[in-house]
Amino acid sequence: MDYKIGSLNAIIQDAIKDNWERQALTDMGGINYLYKDVAINLEKLHLLFEAAGVKAGDKVAICGKNSSNWAVTFIACLTAGVVAVPILHEFKPDTIHHLVNHSDAKLFFVDAAIWENLDERQLPALQGVLYIAEYGMPVSRCKELTEARNNINALFGKKYPYDFTPADIDYYKDSPDELCLINYTSGSTGMSKGVMLPYRSIWSNIRYCLDNLPWLVAGDGMVNMLPLAHLYGMIIEMLHPFCKGCHCHFLTKVPSPKIILSAFAEVKPKLIITVPLILEKIIRNKVFPLLDKPLMRILLHLPFVDDHLLGKVKEGLTQAFGGQVREIIVGGAAVNKEVADFLFRIGFPFTVGYGMTECGPLITYSAPESEIPGTVGRVVTRMEARIDSPDSSQTAGDMWVRGCNVMLG
């Protein structure tokens, strides 16, 4: 396949420079960062990496609930050439111990509540442990790291004595097949397996989103509710809009339909990235009970009233999602047929895509206007897919893919 691969960090760098004074990351009900605040925090984390002897290619593990600081820590790894190792916060302590050790992580960023149940004696290779919130440091085995953490503002001031401006930003120059992140699967067939994704995979996924969702622009709001430790939430829902200059809002409570709808009303997102369970709960709770009333069932069988009524239902559903939704992308599993048929019937702008961790994650997608019911869209740019193979052991349902998005190894 012949394609030109660009730089992921160049996209991130341009996004920060171009949106310096815009809102970037917010914990709903908590902290708020402008893009320039993100840039400052990235520089401070880079100083901590340097003090701990963490170089390009070394690993840093991250385990915590969704938050602005989680996103900053992850982006700090990318922009320093450090290999990020996101770990799902719902994993049990033994699994977290295993993944931190298995990945050869030198630093571990973790939520304080998660750290309480872990044992530092089982993590002997770490140089230090830092809390994701405020970057407190419960464990340090490196004098230079301790001194740097205790004097981080002074170190930053020494490096930038006059001012810190967009001109000071110069992030790591990534190369296409260089390891970018290791993402561990959920381990449904045994212990979690580490998927090794290069910079080209993440760049290609981001580039596809930038090119194919042009109506999402700088300043638009996003409601971030999918786990950042999974590629779908990490790349498509967080890093992609960040690279566009959008404003990401992280839910700080369990994402129940009530909390999610409240967030939609506040943020008014144009784009919603979700999984079938969340979409189906909202439809079943907000719409289906209304349609099941006797009078509604009668009206839905009258042609003119049917069209008018379905238009009203679509309008009401659009308002439930914040009033400005242009597209809802559903992934992770198949949508319930009853819900999918209803959304197609009213012409609601939703689409179903398909991907996997090993492709960082995109394999297929189609815009709502070209979505065909029961399908998962077309193969994305810089990828090929086929269902036939010379491998005689292939079973029904197998699909073979290759291209820019595919993992190393």
Side-chain angles (χ1 to χ4, degrees), residues 6-295:
S7 165
L8 173 63
N9 282 335
I11 294 177
I12 295 173
Q13 182 169 298
D14 287 345
I16 292 175
K17 288 183 175 183
D18 294 344
N19 298 282
W20 195 250
E21 296 291 344
R22 291 186 189 276
Q23 301 284 344
L25 307 171
T26 292
D27 293 345
M28 299 198 74
I31 62 174
N32 179 68
Y33 291 142
L34 302 177
Y35 275 83
K36 66 179 180 182
D37 300 324
V38 172
I40 290 170
N41 281 319
L42 295 183
E43 292 298 322
K44 290 180 178 180
L45 286 173
H46 292 168
L47 289 171
L48 291 181
F49 292 166
E50 183 180 346
V54 175
K55 309 178 297 297
D58 289 337
K59 286 82 174 180
V60 169
I62 311 168
C63 183
K65 294 182 178 180
N66 285 12
S67 70
S68 297
N69 278 353
W70 196 109
V72 169
T73 304
F74 174 73
I75 296 171
C77 292
L78 301 185
T79 52
V82 171
V83 179
V85 184
I87 298 173
L88 193 63
H89 73 275
E90 295 172 339
F91 282 159
K92 294 180 180 179
D94 286 348
T95 301
I96 296 175
H97 289 144
H98 168 74
L99 298 183
V100 173
N101 291 327
H102 183 267
S103 68
D104 295 322
K106 287 191 173 181
L107 288 179
F108 183 29
F109 289 81
V110 62
D111 281 353
I114 295 172
W115 180 247
E116 287 180 2
N117 298 310
L118 302 181
D119 183 355
E120 66 179 274
R121 295 170 298 181
Q122 296 192 47
L123 301 168
L126 289 176
Q127 290 289 79
V129 177
L130 294 96
Y131 292 140
I132 293 175
E134 306 301 329
Y135 303 114
M137 191 164 60
V139 176
S140 176
R141 298 176 179 138
C142 173
K143 179 182 177 182
E144 292 78 8
L145 175 61
T146 301
E147 291 180 352
R149 177 61 192 89
N150 291 339
N151 301 283
I152 191 62
N153 290 330
L155 286 174
F156 181 82
K158 182 179 179 180
K159 186 172 183 179
Y160 304 102
Y162 302 108
D163 198 5
F164 180 68
T165 71
D168 293 308
I169 295 176
D170 185 21
Y171 293 144
Y172 180 78
K173 304 299 188 293
D174 52 283
S175 58
D177 282 311
E178 187 175 1
L179 182 59
C180 179
L181 68 94
I182 300 173
N183 196 229
Y184 284 91
T185 64
S186 58
S188 56
T189 58
M191 187 58 75
S192 297
K193 300 169 181 63
V195 175
M196 301 169 63
L197 291 165
Y199 275 91
R200 62 167 162 76
S201 173
I202 309 306
W203 170 84
S204 183
N205 275 273
I206 297 295
R207 186 71 261 167
Y208 183 84
C209 292
L210 296 178
D211 293 342
N212 289 275
L213 301 169
W215 42 264
L216 187 71
V217 297
D220 286 343
M222 288 286 297
V223 175
N224 297 73
M225 50 191 166
L226 300 179
L228 284 170
H230 286 172
L231 267 295
Y232 191 30
M234 177 202 310
I235 304 303
I236 309 304
E237 190 183 42
M238 185 274 288
L239 191 58
H240 144 238
F242 180 87
C243 288
K244 279 188 170 176
C246 296
H247 183 188
C248 295
H249 298 75
F250 299 100
L251 298 180
T252 54
K253 299 178 181 178
V254 177
S256 67
K258 181 178 179 181
I259 289 173
I260 293 171
L261 290 173
S262 176
F264 289 156
E266 179 179 341
V267 178
K268 296 177 171 51
K270 291 182 183 176
L271 174 65
I272 294 173
I273 310 291
T274 188
V275 293
L277 181 62
I278 292 175
L279 179 65
E280 289 166 13
K281 280 187 176 180
I282 292 173
I283 301 298
R284 292 185 185 281
N285 291 342
K286 299 289 289 186
V287 179
F288 282 2
L290 296 175
L291 299 182
D292 200 40
K293 294 180 179 179
L295 178 58

Side-chain angles (χ1 to χ4, degrees), residues 263-333:
F264 289 156
E266 179 179 341
V267 178
K268 296 177 171 51
K270 291 182 183 176
L271 174 65
I272 294 173
I273 310 291
T274 188
V275 293
L277 181 62
I278 292 175
L279 179 65
E280 289 166 13
K281 280 187 176 180
I282 292 173
I283 301 298
R284 292 185 185 281
N285 291 342
K286 299 289 289 186
V287 179
F288 282 2
L290 296 175
L291 299 182
D292 200 40
K293 294 180 179 179
L295 178 58
M296 293 291 279
R297 288 203 300 268
I298 294 172
L299 292 175
L300 286 172
H301 286 85
L302 301 177
F304 173 76
V305 177
D306 171 74
D307 291 342
H308 180 73
L309 187 59
L310 290 179
K312 289 292 185 182
V313 171
K314 178 182 178 181
E315 181 182 341
L317 191 56
T318 300
Q319 291 303 315
F321 283 103
Q324 295 186 27
V325 62
R326 287 278 302 271
E327 185 169 329
I328 295 180
I329 303 176
V330 183

Side-chain angles (χ1 to χ4, degrees), residues 201 204-205 208-209 232 236 352-366 376-386 399-407:
S201 173
S204 183
N205 275 273
Y208 183 84
C209 292
Y232 191 30
I236 309 304
V352 179
Y354 175 72
M356 59 196 306
T357 302
E358 289 82 354
C359 292
L362 291 180
I363 297 176
T364 65
Y365 161 86
S366 287
V376 290
R378 299 179 181 275
V379 178
V380 300
T381 310
R382 294 174 292 276
M383 288 287 286
E384 291 181 359
R386 54 190 294 180
M399 179 171 66
W400 296 69
V401 298
R402 68 174 184 173
C404 195
N405 295 14
V406 177
M407 63 179 277

